[in-house]
Amino acid sequence: MALMMLRFIVSASVIRSALGTYNSDPSFSKWPTATQTQILFSIETGYYTAAEQLMIRNASIQIGLQMKGCIGFTETVRSDTRYKIHISPYTADGVLQTFCYSYQGQWNTAVDNRATEQLMLITRGPYGCLDGTLHSILKYFVIVLGKRNEHQRADRETVGINVLSGNLQTSPYPLTNAYRLYQTNEAYWLLFPYDYCSITHNQVKDYANAGTNGFNIINDPKAIPKLDRISNTDCKLLSLIYSCPASNCDPMDCVAERQKALNGATATTAPTVAATTTPALPSTTTGPNCPSNIFCTNPPDEASYLLGPYQLYQTLLLFSGPCVMEYKFNWDSVTGIGGTIAPTQPPKLITSYFPGPGGATATPPLSVNYFQNSPLNDGSLTLTMCGAATRSCLTCREDPGVEFQSTGASSCPNPAATGVLDPDAIATSATSQMYLLQNPSQVMQYVVLKSSGNTEIGLMNNDFSTLYQSTTGFLQGQSTITKITAIQIIQDQQGFNPQYMAVFGTGANGKGYIGFVTMALDADPNLPFQTAPFDWIEEPNPIGQEIQTYCP
């Protein structure tokens, strides 16, 4: 791995000057220099959830960030006739797979046969890599660039990696192949020392029978960290292949990372000391932070108020996978000054943003977030956030006394609960509005209707049991957004600006966009929606153009 665990051909001049030898297998090569900063990929969107698609896209973005732009990926559509990587759970003959797999570079046979794609298999299931972590998907983006699995180096025994073949699962598949040693005609590893922190290294329990390890680690610290970034050695190896400056590779103290992983493992296996001890909260699987640019390319899963709907100083939220970003609306943007979304702080993990004891029990991705009247009947509102994947909802109480404060404006007294109202059965996004005309205390819900293929919106009652109105041709009036992922009512409570429906969605190119519609938003169940075309304020823009702070 080091010098390359790669089954991979590089030009003779590069091999001799940088590697000292070369691989004899001509089946794979590095991606051409002319395209290495924009390696094309497409996604089988019909299989993956919005959160899974976001995780895949974030993995592609992370490569560009960590390689400082010297290598990068660009999403396209599958119909693009240019050669690309197609990310799918299906083989070419349509068979759903249970393993994840990628070729070790550009597959030359496909290129020679004038194919338009090579497959990268990303799938769910006990052997899949859609486990909610960026790590497990990022691994395959690194492999497709030419790196091979670190734990299959032929010198692993000399550094204390002892595979326990008797513990590996044999049913329904024999999994010893996942640990077989590479031959010298497949991979070379002579330049760099063994990298316990490589993104391509298996975890100790991967493919092992329940309660056992697939391998033992002899040398201390006895842990393999599961990081959401490539290691320093991964970066240097890719830099060699693609002639990138190795000085751009971020440093990493692998021993320290292994020690952190070891400490974490020890903590989770410690015995319970007392029944009255506060139970440990579920750990997150996304690392300590969310990337500041996570909302710059992809549309959010959902949007909601933090303080609203009729708060003088409204604070709003965007949700994406495990992350949430708090923002205000910049009204100057209507005249083209600045962006419309002005973050008040960097994106954070949902589980750390919302306060405990309930907040940290939210299991992302969260969707269909909406306001209801507080069951305390004290005039306050509660924000309910439902996770479609887990069928559980977290309810947090809005604190109207902190409307001048942008953070910590709600409390979450109880853990997320299952069996709560599940609006995801009919809607993929909701934005709440008071019905002031007849009943000032009633909350109504504007929703993105699932039945329309996420192209129309409707007005529903507080518990999503009644649909009063729905649009026809809502996306007419613009030609960019083809599928809506989230909606959010934007209001200026000081009365200087009109109210908007902010519409987040994807375009035909799979990228994220935001557009704004001026329409009657008084939440009156007796007032039909206007007829198409709707009043869009110009064409929707790429979402990155509308975020002031974190998107260049």
Side-chain angles (χ1 to χ4, degrees):
M1 278 186 137
L3 176 60
M4 183 127 237
M5 285 196 172
L6 75 159
R7 182 180 168 189
F8 192 83
I9 285 287
V10 187
S11 70
S13 60
V14 172
I15 293 168
R16 290 179 184 125
S17 62
L19 307 185
T21 188
Y22 61 91
N23 192 283
S24 59
D25 185 345
S27 300
F28 307 99
S29 68
K30 73 171 186 175
W31 293 85
T33 302
T35 62
Q36 76 179 47
T37 60
Q38 293 184 319
I39 300 169
L40 297 176
F41 73 97
S42 58
I43 299 177
E44 187 88 30
T45 55
Y47 172 85
Y48 303 112
T49 66
E52 290 167 344
Q53 292 179 49
L54 178 62
M55 194 73 77
I56 292 169
R57 292 184 178 110
N58 284 343
S60 74
I61 292 170
Q62 284 300 313
I63 292 291
L65 292 174
Q66 293 177 44
M67 295 304 300
K68 305 299 189 290
C70 188
I71 303 173
F73 292 88
T74 298
E75 187 174 357
T76 186
V77 294
R78 192 176 188 182
S79 58
D80 191 332
T81 57
R82 293 174 293 176
Y83 192 75
K84 60 192 169 296
I85 301 157
H86 182 59
I87 299 173
S88 172
Y90 304 106
T91 54
D93 54 358
V95 178
L96 181 64
Q97 295 300 292
T98 57
F99 287 92
C100 294
Y101 175 80
S102 174
Y103 293 112
Q104 298 82 35
Q106 179 180 268
W107 186 26
N108 294 328
T109 301
V111 174
D112 294 341
N113 290 333
R114 298 185 178 180
T116 60
E117 65 184 36
Q118 66 182 54
L119 287 174
M120 179 192 292
L121 298 175
I122 302 292
T123 190
R124 306 185 192 114
Y127 309 120
C129 49
L130 289 172
D131 59 4
T133 69
L134 189 66
H135 172 100
S136 297
I137 301 173
L138 187 59
K139 169 180 179 176
Y140 291 93
F141 276 93
V142 172
I143 290 174
V144 82
L145 289 172
K147 180 126 178 21
R148 300 202 70 173
N149 289 328
E150 192 76 7
H151 57 274
Q152 292 182 255
R153 284 174 57 149
D155 63 345
R156 70 180 177 212
E157 298 285 338
T158 65
V159 296
I161 301 294
N162 293 340
V163 173
L164 306 173
S165 300
N167 290 349
L168 299 180
Q169 297 179 26
T170 57
S171 177
Y173 304 102
L175 294 170
T176 52
N177 217 33
Y179 288 95
R180 71 173 182 83
L181 294 176
Y182 289 132
Q183 302 299 310
T184 55
N185 64 345
E186 294 178 285
Y188 287 86
W189 49 85
L190 302 177
L191 187 60
F192 298 110
Y194 195 90
D195 184 11
Y196 300 92
C197 292
S198 172
I199 194 78
T200 65
H201 203 300
N202 271 5
Q203 299 293 297
V204 294
K205 294 189 178 298
D206 285 350
Y207 307 123
N209 292 313
T212 69
N213 291 343
F215 59 90
N216 285 336
I217 307 167
I218 305 303
N219 299 334
D220 292 327
K222 294 181 175 63
I224 304 296
K226 190 172 185 178
L227 305 172
D228 286 346
R229 55 161 292 190
I230 63 176
S231 71
N232 177 264
T233 300
D234 290 337
C235 178
K236 288 182 176 179
L237 179 58
L238 294 177
S239 295
L240 274 176
I241 300 169
Y242 291 95
S243 301
C244 299
S247 58
N248 285 347
C249 294
D250 294 330
M252 173 184 284
D253 186 339
C254 186
V255 173
E257 294 294 346
R258 293 173 65 195
Q259 189 62 54
K260 290 178 188 177
L262 181 64
N263 292 342
T266 302
T268 58
T269 56
T272 303
V273 294
T276 57
T277 302
T278 302
L281 298 174
S283 61
T284 65
T285 57
T286 57
N289 296 298
C290 289
S292 62
N293 66 342
I294 190 171
F295 293 94
C296 297
T297 304
N298 306 305
D301 300 331
E302 178 60 313
S304 76
Y305 296 106
L306 176 65
L307 290 174
Y310 279 96
Q311 200 82 11
L312 182 58
Y313 297 96
Q314 292 179 340
T315 304
L316 304 109
L317 302 171
L318 290 180
F319 297 81
S320 180
C323 302
V324 59
M325 183 175 72
E326 181 184 291
Y327 73 99
K328 301 281 190 177
F329 189 77
N330 173 19
W331 290 96
D332 286 340
S333 63
V334 211
T335 59
I337 304 173
T340 53
I341 297 174
T344 60
Q345 56 180 288
K348 293 184 177 180
L349 292 171
I350 295 170
T351 48
S352 62
Y353 175 81
F354 286 97
T361 64
T363 304
L366 299 179
S367 59
V368 197
N369 303 337
Y370 57 94
F371 270 88
Q372 291 179 310
N373 289 302
S374 170
L376 300 177
N377 294 318
D378 59 356
S380 65
L381 295 168
T382 59
L383 170 60
T384 299
M385 298 167 286
C386 294
T390 57
R391 300 297 183 198
S392 64
C393 299
L394 175 70
T395 299
C396 301
R397 183 176 181 272
E398 183 185 55
D399 184 356
V402 293
E403 66 173 28
F404 295 100
Q405 176 182 334
S406 66
T407 303
S410 61
S411 58
C412 310
N414 300 307
T418 56
V420 184
L421 172 68
D422 179 20
D424 182 68
I426 52 176
T428 57
S429 174
T431 181
S432 306
Q433 184 79 316
M434 296 294 192
Y435 179 29
L436 294 180
L437 185 61
Q438 299 293 332
N439 186 348
S441 65
Q442 186 176 355
V443 181
M444 309 290 283
Q445 311 293 345
Y446 283 91
V447 302
V448 179
L449 294 170
K450 227 176 195 181
S451 59
S452 71
N454 302 326
T455 60
E456 304 289 348
I457 66 171
L459 178 65
M460 305 191 75
N461 62 342
N462 194 43
D463 63 2
F464 300 89
S465 62
T466 302
L467 175 64
Y468 297 112
Q469 310 289 346
S470 60
T471 62
T472 301
F474 180 71
L475 293 179
Q476 291 183 30
Q478 58 85 48
S479 59
T480 304
I481 293 176
T482 58
K483 182 177 180 180
I484 307 169
T485 62
I487 54 175
Q488 177 62 54
I489 292 174
I490 305 289
Q491 295 168 310
D492 174 13
Q493 293 303 316
Q494 299 180 73
F496 299 129
N497 297 284
Q499 59 186 1
Y500 299 132
M501 176 73 79
V503 182
F504 301 89
T506 55
N509 60 1
K511 300 295 184 181
Y513 292 87
I514 177 175
F516 298 91
V517 180
T518 57
M519 57 185 291
L521 293 169
D522 295 328
D524 189 338
N526 303 306
L527 181 65
F529 288 139
Q530 69 184 73
T531 57
F534 285 80
D535 300 322
W536 289 79
I537 302 176
E538 301 179 344
E539 280 291 316
N541 283 326
I543 189 170
Q545 292 183 18
E546 302 291 342
I547 298 180
Q548 288 182 317
T549 308
Y550 303 114
C551 305

